[in-house]
Amino acid sequence: MKLKELMGKASPLRSGDVLAGVAASSQEERVRARLELAEVPLRRFLDEPLVPYEDDEVTRLICDSHDEGAFGAVGWLCVGEFRDWLLEASAEELSAVAAGVTPEMAAAVSKLMRVQDLILVASKIRVVTRFRTTIGLAGRMSTRLQPNHPSDDLKGIAASMLDGLSLGSGDACIGVNPATDSVRVLVDILKMIDGVRERLEIPTQSCVLGHVTTQMEAMKAGAPVDLVFQSIGGTEGTNRSFGIDLAMLDEAYEMARSLGRGENVMYFETGQGSALSAGAHHGMDQQTCEARAYAVARRYRPLLVNTVVGFIGPEYLYDGKQIARAGLEDHFCGKLLGVPMGCDVCYTNHAEADGDDMDGLLTLLGAAGCNYIMGVPGADDIMLHYQSTSFHDALYLRRLLGLRPAPEFEAWLAKKPEVLEQTWLLT
Amino acid sequence: MAIDLSRFTGARVGLERRGESLSTREVLGFDLDHARARDAVWMEMDAGSLGFEHVLVESMARDRKSYLLRPDLGRRVAGRLSFVGCEVAIVVSDGLSALAVHRHAAEMVARLKELLPVGIVVVAVRGRVAIGDEIGEQVGAKVVVMLIGERPGLTSPDSLGAYVTYGPRVGRTDAERNCVSNIRAEGLSYRAAAELIAYLAREAGTRKLSGVRLKGDATPYVIDGAGADSGD
């Protein structure tokens, strides 16, 4: 069987793979595919790219950036043995192997792992990044404060932002999804957030998640751009559907670096199903496509990368069980590849999921050492119409597992001004 | 003096706490909103009581679950419509919220018929946005206006979306449509929505195109964004 076909059949059941026609047709076929996958040598993934080298620039990136030296530690193993190796490996061994692991190897081994394996191995890997805060340290869990507003009203955004700051949210970044992707809207929001950050001396970074080209225009217009954001996928065609390619990301990365505002300057979002949605999955299962997106991400040494796991809808991840497994797979694969992985623990109202499912995934990700989650007022994003995690959810997780915010932000919280008395911002 | 943040946004700010968690009242209030949104998604459209004349068709999705799992089936018509030949066809579909159609479709259809040369109104059960392409092609409409229930937000279970497509035929992409979103009591008014849709439909007919290229230089304002969430 072709490797690509085997990967699809070995994948845990999810609606997107059924929709794509790559899923196993019975439970037994699924487990038999896993038994066969366990015997596949890791090296076969280097010899048999799932998408041809000539056809896809993400494949070329994966092949050309593969570190044969780092791969040496696991190069003689089969996928099943790789799982065993991961369970026994030390934190140092896991960090050292990252550059030798391809996304397809990570995806393959994840298909043989139980939920507890995904949690245990990920929890051993720290991927630490820095801008004004340090994110991903052991015993820490950060939040992206997400104060979206359906008409990009600056006072409306500010109100949600103050609410979040008062509840200790925002150490990963303050990141707004604009309702309108225009330079003027981006510049206005960026200036407002940056003004608040400077006035209240908040150690964090801001981002307005427009299209990368709009953010580049904003940079040219002199806007205070900390992080440059883009949605990315695991094939060239998926990225084209987002209106980007690697050359464009290269240009944005250089431009953001040249501003000299921080060390890690990029922010990426991903999510299983985007490749199929774009008709650009090349017959691969959606989780393998997703892992390939992390190869795109790691090229740019990003501050933040998160899967928006339940956003895409039930035709890709049908229910709470599928969403939870996908979130843990994405976090594990990202960390194994050396990506600073967070997660937007989320669901839409047409998925078979609810707040209880999110509480479960949130808690499991906390145990797995997830770098950050989202902070949305009351978990209800009134612009994007989906439910994520709330400021209170983050407080719950920190208290339950003894997790703390990023150290710089923690110090600010200890002496922070009365955020809710900042009337100047709203008058 | 702390500010009342809820004056500035519809977001769930300033929530009541017990310890670091939300109070019982907040949790149950959230659950009630989620329950309403869930019910809207699973509600079957009652085509018999929509209150306007129409031709009824079904998509190839046979039930709500199949509709949710197979977007491709929701884009195709089961059966075939007769050729009419007209400037504008209106297609009404439950999409992801039959509630939106029950509440707003009759008023929107009536207003659009006053503003546009509408040749036929078709109701498509369990349709996605693109089902309007096949219907428009079969009835021979130059422009199709699709009215469809949008994916319910937590406090907007009844939001209606509208898509304007010039030269409808199977295979049109979303980049070839113009979207007017968030039509509901707390969102865009019937009057404003109908005028905007009529403007887009007229422009599309005159300039023989719709979508990104129409929006680029002719439209004063188009509400984007949330529209992409509806049953596309």
Side-chain angles (χ1 to χ4, degrees), chain A residues 284-355:
Chain A
M284 285 184 288
D285 65 275
Q286 64 185 31
Q287 191 249 337
T288 300
C289 293
E290 169 73 7
R292 285 166 55 102
Y294 309 147
V296 175
R298 71 175 170 182
R299 173 179 173 86
Y300 304 101
R301 303 175 52 243
L303 183 77
L304 309 167
V305 178
N306 63 264
T307 170
V308 194
V309 65
F311 186 76
I312 192 158
E315 62 268 42
Y316 301 95
L317 294 167
Y318 185 67
D319 56 15
K321 182 178 171 74
Q322 293 186 8
I323 293 171
R325 168 88 200 184
L328 293 166
E329 287 167 352
D330 294 351
H331 176 257
F332 160 79
C333 287
K335 285 282 173 71
L336 180 58
L337 292 165
V339 168
M341 208 65 195
C343 184
D344 189 342
V345 176
C346 62
Y347 63 108
T348 61
N349 289 319
H350 60 321
E352 286 294 303
D354 60 19

Side-chain angles (χ1 to χ4, degrees), chain B:
Chain B
M1 194 36 211
I3 321 160
D4 176 12
L5 295 173
S6 63
R7 279 171 51 215
F8 301 95
T9 176
R12 291 170 197 254
V13 292
L15 300 182
E16 198 177 73
R17 279 200 285 162
R18 293 294 178 269
E20 287 180 337
S21 304
L22 292 172
S23 71
T24 304
R25 191 175 66 171
E26 299 286 6
V27 170
L28 293 179
F30 180 96
D31 286 350
L32 181 60
D33 287 339
H34 184 238
R36 285 179 176 146
R38 298 284 294 136
D39 285 346
V41 168
W42 285 91
M43 180 186 288
E44 299 281 352
M45 180 163 62
D46 180 7
S49 59
L50 287 176
F52 54 87
E53 224 176 284
H54 63 265
V55 176
L56 186 67
V57 296
E58 292 198 359
S59 80
M60 290 175 72
R62 64 190 184 286
D63 54 30
R64 291 302 287 172
K65 184 168 181 181
S66 154
Y67 176 78
L68 291 173
L69 285 169
R70 292 287 303 272
D72 53 327
L73 297 181
R75 297 186 187 114
R76 299 309 297 263
V77 188
R80 188 165 181 88
L81 285 148
S82 309
F83 183 86
V84 177
C86 57
E87 287 295 316
V88 178
I90 295 177
V91 179
V92 177
S93 186
D94 43 3
L96 288 168
S97 171
L99 188 62
V101 169
H102 291 163
R103 287 195 180 156
H104 311 307
E107 183 72 25
M108 285 302 296
V109 167
R111 284 173 184 266
L112 289 171
K113 283 172 89 168
E114 282 174 23
L115 296 168
L116 290 168
V118 176
I120 184 172
V121 180
V122 177
V123 169
V125 182
R126 292 182 292 277
R128 299 262 169 183
V129 171
I131 201 171
D133 296 341
E134 190 173 17
I135 292 170
E137 187 174 19
Q138 289 184 3
V139 302
K142 284 187 186 157
V143 176
V144 66
V145 174
M146 181 89 194
L147 299 175
I148 186 166
E150 298 188 313
R151 194 177 82 198
L154 208 55
T155 45
S156 53
D158 66 336
S159 184
L160 191 74
Y163 291 79
V164 175
T165 310
Y166 176 79
R169 58 176 159 75
V170 174
R172 288 278 184 210
T173 69
D174 289 341
E176 296 174 295
R177 313 181 200 289
N178 294 88
C179 170
V180 176
S181 176
N182 198 29
I183 303 165
R184 61 190 176 104
E186 303 78 11
L188 193 62
S189 70
Y190 295 144
R191 187 180 151 193
E195 282 176 4
L196 184 50
I197 294 163
Y199 169 81
L200 290 166
R202 273 188 232 110
E203 283 291 312
T206 309
R207 300 179 55 204
K208 302 190 188 308
L209 56 88
S210 56
V212 179
R213 283 159 65 213
L214 180 63
K215 173 181 144 186
D217 47 276
T219 314
Y221 59 104
V222 176
I223 292 91
D224 285 311
D229 295 343
S230 57
D232 55 350

Side-chain angles (χ1 to χ4, degrees), chain A residues 18 110 138 207 312 328 398 422:
Chain A
V18 176
S110 80
C207 186
I312 192 158
L328 293 166
R398 281 176 179 164
Q422 304 301 316

Side-chain angles (χ1 to χ4, degrees), chain A residues 388-406:
Chain A
S388 180
T389 45
S390 67
F391 309 134
H392 308 78
D393 292 334
L395 292 175
Y396 146 78
L397 195 61
R398 281 176 179 164
R399 166 169 289 198
L400 179 76
L401 299 177
L403 299 170
R404 295 149 65 193

Side-chain angles (χ1 to χ4, degrees), chain A residues 178-199:
Chain A
T180 304
D181 185 30
S182 82
V183 179
R184 189 179 56 78
V185 167
L186 261 64
V187 171
D188 287 349
I189 299 173
L190 284 164
K191 280 185 176 164
M192 186 276 286
I193 299 175
D194 208 52
V196 175
R197 181 186 66 73
E198 291 202 321
R199 181 147 167 180

